[in-house]
Amino acid sequence: MASDHYYFLGSGRAGEKDPPATRARFLSNRLDRDYQSDYTRVSAVLAAQGVPYRIDEMNSCYNGGAKDSSDTYASTLWALDCTHWWAAHHILGVNYHTGESVGRDGGFGAANYAAFVHQADGHGFVARPQAYAYLAFSQGAHGRPLEVKTQADAGFNFNAYAYRDNDGSIYVTLINKSYGDSGQSASVSLQLSPGATSGAWQRMELVQKNHDVAAKTDVLLGGAGIDPEGTWSGQWKPVPDEKSGNLTVQVAPASASLLRFTPAK
């Protein structure tokens, strides 16, 4: 097996100089070109030779991440998108670097990109925004990746990913990274393969309560947060009156919609 390290958003200290601009980079589809460049240079070569590959250390910005970007809801949407992108490109897995004290700036210090940290009283944990990306991926990435063809306006920061599980269920994740004054709802029409003609849809939403990409709290998946014990009680909800393999949904700005289609037996 071969492995590599990546920090696609550059230096944490550089990112802290202009947090709004850094958060905008987190949420831009221009990152797809960086992923594709590294995939072509390393992963595709290994895949062609049958060599297993994983990214054994990755996160947004090196040197512990960027304060006010790597620790915000922008990082949730970035990490969810990034993880799905690599899952669809011949990778065995990704190890996201985390911890309460990491190597940075010539020594050790707090990691802005930490997925969770101890509570101040030492009892339980605080789930940071990026933890919800990993949780959402675990809910929506069952089975083998499927090819997804999308049609969207140029410059609209939206991505879609799909998987087919062993039981024939299809999972789709729709990520609308537009936000703020330029944010817009995405009206998405799904057309599954011709074999998926009848079944039931369920849906789960990843949101920040105020659709604020700069927020550091109040992230919810399936209507619930992660409590200090690490328990999460989010739920899939039925999509009423939709029984075919075609579906049209609205995806709010700065959010992700997870969809599950279970074929009729």
Side-chain angles (χ1 to χ4, degrees):
M1 182 182 73
S3 63
D4 209 345
H5 287 37
Y6 289 115
Y7 288 84
F8 287 102
L9 278 301
S11 163
R13 303 296 77 73
E16 290 170 354
K17 294 178 180 179
D18 188 347
T22 300
R23 292 192 294 268
R25 290 195 297 118
F26 274 49
L27 299 174
S28 172
N29 272 5
R30 293 178 181 176
L31 281 172
D32 293 354
R33 295 182 298 192
D34 296 335
Y35 305 154
Q36 184 65 49
S37 175
D38 284 306
Y39 170 76
T40 301
R41 180 176 60 86
V42 179
S43 310
V45 176
L46 294 170
Q49 298 179 22
V51 178
Y53 172 73
R54 71 179 296 122
I55 299 175
D56 64 1
E57 181 178 321
M58 185 176 79
N59 219 301
S60 53
C61 301
Y62 60 84
N63 273 335
K67 186 177 184 295
D68 297 327
S69 295
S70 298
D71 53 354
T72 68
Y73 180 57
S75 75
T76 311
L77 298 176
W78 165 75
L80 178 61
D81 191 27
C82 181
T83 310
H84 274 296
W85 195 99
W86 284 100
H89 288 79
H90 309 106
I91 197 167
L92 289 181
V94 173
N95 295 352
Y96 276 92
H97 195 240
T98 190
E100 297 193 45
S101 180
V102 300
R104 52 172 290 182
D105 309 320
F108 286 86
N112 294 301
Y113 50 52
F116 56 88
V117 296
H118 280 92
Q119 293 195 129
D121 61 7
H123 299 290
F125 296 89
V126 176
R128 306 276 286 279
Q130 203 159 303
Y132 290 86
Y134 311 150
L135 181 59
F137 181 82
S138 74
Q139 294 298 306
H142 291 258
R144 297 181 64 86
L146 298 174
E147 181 182 5
V148 176
K149 297 180 180 178
T150 60
Q151 294 180 333
D153 293 339
F156 185 48
N157 293 312
F158 173 90
N159 276 328
Y161 304 93
Y163 304 78
R164 186 189 300 274
D165 207 354
N166 292 333
D167 65 359
S169 297
I170 295 176
Y171 290 79
V172 180
T173 294
L174 309 172
I175 309 172
N176 183 353
K177 298 179 291 181
S178 70
Y179 68 96
D181 293 340
S182 60
Q184 55 183 307
S185 180
S187 180
V188 183
S189 296
L190 301 173
Q191 295 181 334
L192 301 185
S193 60
T197 57
S198 179
W201 286 96
Q202 293 176 294
R203 184 171 182 173
M204 180 181 291
E205 303 299 318
L206 173 66
V207 299
Q208 196 282 331
K209 287 183 179 180
N210 300 312
H211 299 278
D212 181 4
V213 300
K216 301 182 181 183
T217 60
D218 296 325
V219 182
L220 301 173
L221 177 65
I226 303 170
D227 72 18
E229 302 303 317
T231 302
W232 169 72
S233 58
Q235 300 288 325
W236 290 92
K237 293 185 177 181
V239 178
D241 304 321
E242 295 291 349
K243 302 298 182 182
S244 75
N246 298 333
L247 178 70
T248 298
V249 296
Q250 302 295 318
V251 184
S255 76
S257 292
L258 284 60
L259 298 160
R260 179 169 64 191
F261 178 77
T262 305
K265 302 298 184 181

